[in-house]
Every structure is written in structure tokens, then in C-alpha cells.
Amino acid sequence: MPDKTRLHSPDKKTIVTIDNGELISYQVDGTEVMHQKGDLGWGNTEIEMFPTIGSTKENQFSVQTPRGEAKLDQHGILRVMDYLPITIEKSSACFHKKYIANTQLSNHKFPNKSTQQWLNWPYDFEFIKTFELSNEALKIIFEIKSEKNMPLMLGFHPAFKIYDQNVKMKTTDRHISLDAVLKAGAPAFLLENCKEVVLTNNGNLTVTINTNGFRHIMLWSEVTNMVCIEPITFYPASVSVDKLHTGFDYSSGYEKYEVVISVKSNSN
């Protein structure tokens, strides 16, 4: 399909597929790294959570800002906007979304999965997403251009394919089992002040996620064939929904965040 973009690493061993700005496939030596749409668990492969993270339903979809009330569904407004391409090369691609303050956007979850029909945000912003594929890793760069002092949270929500239920999520000082992630449920398993997670014991794959600009990582799944490893600036379950605004950072006018996903095939 013309909407799909394929990136190839210089050594041709890695192929990344992007569908309208969403990473939907990351194949290393023919093995799929990412959770696939249609498989049990979740209807996406990845999304961004911006400018809020977490549920808003329990607060009538309202989030307080210095410019008054915004109406946002779960994980903000970005997910109801479409990416437009900026540049596409053999091993890189760049997309963006632009928003004009107070524009009413239709909520695609309405009416079947949400009672909130329209979403809005009282600030202008441009959200830029760049993929850079090397022989060693896939780097995803998020740049946010906005008015100074715009409140924001950012989360990246990628889902990884699980090949072995004995898989472990490893940090510098602990190992987390899939069972522990499942037991954490909807709030997700928080790895506080964490910048790196290694997905080990996952069949032939070892996947390492490194972050820059994010504070924490949370782990979420409801099934045994995938796990989401989510870099976040704020953990929404740490406050009641009506206090979600206390988790905002405030923009300098330009913010940059990075996620690097490197994959080692243990079959080699």
C-alpha cells in the first residue's frame, strides 16, 4: 500500500515498516520484533501519549491547564491526528503533526468506546517524529515545537512480540517477569527513574530499549504474547485523575526526546 514506508539498514539485514507514521514492523534477520495488529492483546503496534498520559474518563474527560479546561480522551489528542511525511530516505523517515490551539477534533473512539465526541487543547504545537535505522539499532526522535510554557507530558507506547513466556525485563538492578507485569494490570508496572530495559530470554531475540529525555519506563500487558515497554515523563497512576495536571512539564518552546531500540539475534 502507498501509505507504507519501508526502511532498510545499510547491511540490508533489518527492515522497518512504517504505516502513516506508526512503526508496525521491525524485522531483524527475518524475525519480527514488534507486536502485530490483529494478534491477541492490543490493536496498535505503537502510539504516542501527548500532551497527557493516562485515562481522563473519570474526570469527565477534563484536564486543567493554565489556559483553562481541555477536553482530552485517554493519552491526549495526538492519537486522533494524522501524520504527514516530511522526508523519506532509504534508512530514515520524518513525519509531523501540527495543531492550532482550540481546534475541535473528532474523537475516533466516540460513540462506541467513549462518550466524549470532541477533543481540544488550548495551545499551538508541532510534533515531529523521525526514524533513523542503522545496522545496530532503530532510533526514534520526538521533537516538540510549541509556545513557551505549554504544559505537556510525553509517553511512547510500543508493543513488543513475546516468543517465550519466561521472558524477563531487565534493568541495571532488577529482573521483572511477565507474570509481574500481568499482575500490575491497567496502571502498569512502574520502573521509576529508569532509562534502559533489556527484554531477555525472548526466543532468539534480545531487545534493548534506551531512552533520553524521559524520566521513567512503565511495563504493560494483559496477554502473554506481547509486552509494552513505555518511556514516560510522568506516571499517571501516581495521582488521582482530577490531579493529572500536576504531572505536567512546561515547554521551553522546543523539546527533544529519543528512544533507541537495538536488537540482537541470539541464533547467530
Side-chain angles (χ1 to χ4, degrees):
M1 291 178 64
D3 290 335
K4 290 187 172 63
T5 300
R6 284 186 172 81
L7 308 181
H8 297 263
S9 60
D11 65 6
K12 309 297 184 186
K13 293 183 178 180
T14 302
I15 302 172
V16 159
T17 307
I18 303 160
D19 185 5
N20 291 310
E22 179 187 358
L23 172 67
I24 61 167
S25 176
Y26 182 3
Q27 292 188 6
V28 178
D29 291 328
T31 301
E32 181 61 62
V33 177
M34 309 306 296
H35 167 70
Q36 297 296 286
K37 294 183 180 186
D39 288 354
L40 185 67
W42 188 43
N44 294 81
T45 302
E46 55 98 339
I47 60 167
E48 293 85 42
M49 303 177 279
F50 176 86
T52 55
I53 303 170
S55 175
T56 55
K57 179 181 177 181
E58 294 80 5
N59 198 44
Q60 290 75 53
F61 303 96
S62 295
V63 178
Q64 292 302 316
T65 81
R67 291 187 179 172
E69 182 181 86
K71 286 292 187 180
L72 301 173
D73 209 325
Q74 182 164 328
H75 300 329
I77 201 169
L78 203 67
R79 64 192 301 181
V80 304
M81 300 170 64
D82 293 326
Y83 274 113
L84 294 174
I86 298 176
T87 58
I88 296 174
E89 308 291 344
K90 289 181 180 179
S91 299
S92 66
C94 183
F95 303 84
H96 73 150
K97 299 181 180 185
K98 275 189 172 181
Y99 180 78
I100 297 173
N102 299 308
T103 301
Q104 297 286 322
L105 297 183
S106 178
N107 184 6
H108 59 68
K109 296 174 70 176
F110 177 87
N112 294 330
K113 295 183 178 180
S114 176
T115 58
Q116 183 63 35
Q117 184 174 6
W118 301 100
L119 308 180
N120 61 70
W121 182 244
Y123 299 84
D124 296 336
F125 67 80
E126 180 183 12
F127 191 96
I128 304 164
K129 182 180 187 181
T130 303
F131 298 88
E132 296 179 353
L133 181 62
S134 67
N135 293 339
E136 294 75 33
L138 174 64
K139 179 188 286 188
I140 306 172
I141 303 164
F142 305 101
E143 297 170 279
I144 301 165
K145 298 177 181 179
S146 69
E147 304 171 59
K148 284 190 176 181
N149 297 316
M150 184 187 83
L152 64 94
M153 304 172 197
L154 177 64
F156 181 47
H157 192 317
F160 297 90
K161 196 175 184 72
I162 288 180
Y163 289 95
D164 188 327
Q165 291 182 31
N166 292 316
V167 67
K168 294 285 189 296
M169 280 60 72
K170 184 174 72 172
T171 69
T172 54
D173 59 356
R174 65 194 299 191
H175 290 71
I176 302 96
S177 67
L178 178 59
D179 189 53
V181 176
L182 293 169
K183 286 180 179 177
F189 191 107
L190 176 64
L191 297 171
E192 195 168 6
N193 300 315
C194 181
K195 306 292 185 183
E196 178 182 286
V197 171
V198 183
L199 194 64
T200 64
N201 207 33
N202 189 29
N204 290 328
L205 294 180
T206 297
V207 182
T208 302
I209 295 91
N210 286 283
T211 75
N212 185 37
F214 297 90
R215 287 190 185 87
H216 318 299
I217 294 176
M218 59 184 184
L219 309 172
W220 174 81
S221 186
E222 294 179 342
V223 294
T224 58
N225 59 286
M226 55 150 263
V227 64
C228 294
I229 301 176
E230 308 172 41
I232 52 174
T233 60
F234 177 70
Y235 181 56
S238 64
V239 296
S240 58
V241 177
D242 61 315
K243 301 293 184 184
L244 189 62
H245 62 279
T246 62
F248 280 133
D249 291 332
Y250 290 86
S251 177
S252 66
Y254 174 79
E255 312 300 323
K256 184 177 181 180
Y257 309 80
E258 294 180 349
V259 176
V260 179
I261 306 170
S262 53
V263 181
K264 179 182 177 184
S265 177
N266 304 321
S267 59
N268 292 344

